[in-house]
Amino acid sequence: MRIDLHTHSTQSDGTETPVEVMRSAARAGLDVVALTDHDTTRGWGQAARAVAETGVTLVPGIEISCAYDGISIHLLGYFIDPLDAALLGELERARSSRRTRAQRMVERLAPDTGLTWHQVQEQFGAETTIGRPHIADALVAAGVVASRDEAFASYLASGSKYHVSHYAPDPAFATRLVRAAGGVPVMAHPLAAARGRTVDVDVIEGMAEAGLAGLEIHHRDHTDEAIGKGLQLAQRLGLLVTGSSDYHGTGKDNQLGENTTSPEVLEQLSAQATSGSGPIRP
């Protein structure tokens, strides 16, 4: 059984609709796929309706953008109650901050690139969780850069003069929110130094104390050394180990199923959920 527990659709910064993600998962030979858009569960319904058509089991998930001491941290939450009031409030706060942040970045970019907010709006739908990738896509469409990667290496880099931060919850707090919403929290790509600074082990230990269930160790942004350290850390803290693609369609090179999670781990993750939800099977 091939299981990929980290993908994105057009509800956040992916380039395929939730239905298209499900169809792509089927073509890639996956048996199970999780839809984990940034700070939103709005793609779940569309993806669930494609389960019967594709024959692919859906794991409903989310990726919550967190921060600690200025370092970005991503928390995957599986099987949450999408109507949980506390979690919804926190997600909406983050989504609103993301939109304001994007508008301010465009204002900074405009004098040097000619970019307008209207051009960025053309890159996302009304309910999309807005992120830097949408600004990158607008820069590509305007001919300012050739790709998302080029945009992130220059104009959208965290240290550039155009960068603006946005609200993101503390990772331990977000971990507790996921548990309170009946879900199961897993830290995404925890040792991906290629993405920027990573948090110290004590932060991950704090997340484990708050209810963290696992670490996404098998990820393309982890070196062999990082994978070794991650496996040791997971064993020491009693955490499950997952593997995922972090698929974004054509937005990134990541390919569905390039890293996978074992059926045994998925079963253990599902067993920890208290929301009453689980994998949506054909």
Side-chain angles (χ1 to χ4, degrees):
M1 182 176 291
R2 301 186 69 230
I3 301 167
D4 189 335
L5 293 182
H6 188 169
T7 71
H8 297 271
S9 76
T10 50
Q11 290 296 318
S12 60
D13 54 350
T15 61
E16 297 177 350
T17 67
V19 171
E20 290 169 340
V21 170
M22 296 296 292
R23 290 172 178 167
S24 292
R27 287 193 296 271
L30 291 177
D31 300 287
V32 182
V33 69
L35 183 65
T36 52
D37 279 311
H38 290 285
D39 301 323
T40 185
T41 63
R42 290 174 178 168
W44 287 10
Q46 296 176 55
R49 288 190 289 274
V51 166
E53 170 199 335
T54 61
V56 176
T57 294
L58 172 68
V59 170
I62 192 170
E63 185 170 18
I64 302 173
S65 302
C66 307
Y68 182 89
D69 195 25
I71 301 174
S72 177
I73 301 167
H74 289 172
L75 183 70
L76 297 162
Y78 303 111
F79 312 120
I80 60 171
D81 174 0
L83 300 180
D84 182 83
L87 182 58
L88 277 176
E90 194 67 17
L91 294 177
E92 190 51 44
R93 181 179 178 186
R95 281 167 55 85
S96 176
S97 179
R98 277 177 171 271
R99 184 181 186 89
T100 302
R101 174 253 202 135
Q103 291 171 326
R104 291 176 61 196
M105 288 187 69
V106 171
E107 290 173 358
R108 294 186 180 189
L109 285 160
D112 295 334
T113 66
L115 191 68
T116 67
W117 180 242
H118 176 72
Q119 289 173 301
V120 177
Q121 287 179 302
E122 292 178 340
Q123 305 300 321
F124 59 82
E127 295 185 341
T128 302
T129 298
I130 302 167
R132 285 182 295 169
H134 301 108
I135 302 176
D137 290 345
L139 289 169
V140 172
V144 178
V145 295
S147 66
R148 275 189 180 184
D149 286 344
E150 183 181 342
F152 272 90
S154 55
Y155 295 103
L156 303 182
S158 296
S160 81
K161 66 178 182 179
Y162 310 105
H163 183 74
V164 175
S165 61
H166 66 87
Y167 169 73
D170 174 84
F173 173 62
T175 298
R176 288 191 290 270
L177 277 178
V178 169
R179 284 294 190 183
V184 187
V186 171
M187 187 178 185
H189 40 73
L191 304 173
R195 290 170 167 257
R197 290 192 300 152
T198 59
V199 294
D200 293 334
V201 171
D202 63 331
V203 176
I204 301 175
E205 291 172 342
M207 294 171 69
E209 291 175 1
L212 190 67
L215 298 175
E216 184 188 56
I217 299 301
H218 299 292
H219 187 284
R220 70 155 47 206
D221 290 341
H222 282 168
T223 63
D224 289 343
E225 181 182 2
I227 291 173
K229 289 181 178 179
L231 292 174
Q232 291 177 358
L233 179 62
Q235 183 177 29
R236 180 168 68 81
L237 297 178
L239 301 175
L240 297 171
V241 172
T242 68
S244 314
S245 66
D246 200 354
Y247 181 68
H248 284 71
T250 59
K252 290 185 176 181
D253 292 335
N254 309 42
Q255 298 299 307
L256 284 163
E258 65 181 31
N259 289 291
T260 56
T261 297
S262 73
E264 294 77 16
V265 166
L266 176 58
E267 184 177 346
Q268 291 177 74
L269 290 173
S270 181
Q272 291 187 33
T274 59
S275 64
S277 68
I280 301 170
R281 306 182 190 278

